[in-house]
Amino acid sequence: MSFSSLGLSEQLVRATADQGYETPSPIQAKAIPAVLSGRDVMAAAQTGTGKTAGFTLPLLQRLAENPRTGKGPRVLILAPTRELAAQVHDSVALYSRYMPTKSAVVFGGVKINPQMMKLRKGLDVLVATPGRLMDLYQQNAVRFNEVEILVLDEADRMLDMGFIRDIRKILALLPAKRQNLLFSATFSNEIRGLAEGLLDNPVQVEVAARNTAAESIKQSVYPVDQSQKTALLSKLVRDNGWEQVLVFTRTKHGANRLTQKLERDGITAAAIHGNKSQGARTRALADFKQGEVRVLVATDIAARGLDIKQLPQVVNFELPNVPEDYVHRIGRTGRAGESGHALSLVSADEARCWRALKG
Ligand code: AMP
């Protein structure tokens, strides 16, 4: 199977070839024809499955079929975090490089004025976090009357982060006649409720079983006393020569503390969490991607949706509070079609809690 056999234009196929993609991933093979057909789509897909291209490529094609007449936006993509919004926008820009399509991304934590200027110039695709989008709307910087396609990316996390009210407000402002695409790693009852009100006879796309991890990820557990975890992590990083490892902690404070201890052990590390400024988060991620920082320590919310290519190693320094987060965390390892390793350092107390949760 090839991207062109799915019905994508030569410009889009060329853009995927530039990225070195040879064949569509399973989610792409299913989602691309569904989106091209104009129907609503409800997709169960985690980060790492190629889901972003799965909705971006066909929606760009649909836009190209009718040129823009007004100021737009014609496509609205909502994402839960700044990082994810920025990554989705990078994909939009990358895949539309041979097309006249204009796009922008807006998120909170940075100045609003430059975003207003961008919107004033007119655009086809707008990627946004819900809170900032509502701020912009309230300041008359954006209108929704030309929106033809709405994408909710990582909808489960948007609900977890308390965006449901903003999302509902935005939905109420959109033209009734539009195409809706909903992507979520998990399908809780709350998501199903949202989907019911939003989607009209959707095509359902599912690649991995509900709430299970991608098969290409090797998972292991290391039983260890809480007090020995930092020393063990330092040793594992050194002994295994891990050059790029993403480590999860449960709290922001824990992330800072672990980062400091690793640095003291001579291992370059940076923390990424909600209390860090946008600049600090972007810098930490860039340093990590470039190999200047060996260990990136993250909380669940900050790490959600991070697209770090070919990340071989993820460590759960502490287990998350809920099983869904475990699935999201280990989804950071490997990329479409490649395997990775997720290691959990588990104390006796944590093991007890998880057994209770399972029972
Ligand atoms: P996503 O699940 O959208 O976050 O994508 C995960 C990663 O897979 C990204 O780094 C993409 O660049 C990459 N990717 C997406 N589609 C393909 C494909 N068809 N073949 C190989 N890699 C891909």
Side-chain angles (χ1 to χ4, degrees), residues 17 52 93 100 111 116 134 141 156 161 172 216 248 262 266 299 324 349:
T52 316
K111 286 200 191 107
M116 292 175 143
M134 274 316 289
D156 48 350
M161 291 175 71
S216 58
F248 287 93
L262 289 171
T299 55
E324 284 78 8
D349 274 348

Side-chain angles (χ1 to χ4, degrees), residues 84-104:
L84 186 67
Q87 280 164 18
V88 170
H89 181 252
D90 288 347
S91 297
V92 172
L94 214 56
Y95 302 139
S96 64
R97 64 200 298 186
Y98 300 115
M99 304 166 78
T101 314
K102 283 176 69 181
S103 60

